[in-house]
Amino acid sequence: MVITLTDAALNKLKGVEFKKEQSPRIDADVAGGCGVSIKFSLVFDEPRRNDTVIKYEGIQLYIDQFTKRYLDETTQIDYSDEQGFLVGESFESSACSIEIE
């Protein structure tokens, strides 16, 4: 897995003053019933015990095991003033599995 940050994202993260015990973490928001949609975001939270730590030019990013399995092989993090941090591509599936016996 490769995580890259655009210059805009890297500059923004380097300028953020983190509260004690908080670090940037990639998080997955999973929603759906029959189909599933996954939206990734960057949150500032306490690291979790089994997080994977990725170091990128002095920035430590944390990823929990649940989120890690949904990320693409290469994930880019970008930043814009209008939208904030943009993490990778969102995933949507409308496929339903129905088992008939």
Side-chain angles (χ1 to χ4, degrees):
M1 170 182 16
V2 177
I3 304 292
T4 61
L5 282 83
T6 64
D7 288 340
L10 184 60
N11 290 334
K12 185 65 176 181
L13 282 173
K14 285 183 175 181
V16 172
E17 289 187 32
F18 300 109
K19 293 180 181 176
K20 188 178 180 180
E21 302 289 326
Q22 289 192 339
S23 298
R25 181 168 48 85
I26 298 174
D27 194 40
D29 182 22
V30 180
C34 190
V36 66
S37 69
I38 301 170
K39 184 174 191 286
F40 299 106
S41 59
L42 193 66
V43 298
F44 299 93
D45 201 359
E46 294 181 12
R48 296 176 182 163
R49 183 175 16 169
N50 294 318
D51 281 353
T52 298
V53 180
I54 295 176
K55 296 179 182 179
Y56 191 95
E57 294 191 31
I59 300 292
Q60 289 187 343
L61 295 168
Y62 292 81
I63 305 169
D64 64 59
Q65 297 301 315
F66 175 79
T67 300
K68 188 175 174 181
R69 55 183 183 177
Y70 291 108
L71 287 172
D72 291 332
E73 190 62 34
T74 301
T75 300
Q76 182 180 53
I77 300 173
D78 194 8
Y79 177 83
S80 76
D81 289 330
E82 298 80 32
Q83 297 179 300
F85 288 100
L86 304 168
V87 180
E89 298 291 323
S90 295
F91 172 82
E92 229 175 280
S93 171
S94 60
C96 292
S97 176
I98 301 173
E99 191 173 314
I100 301 175
E101 293 185 30

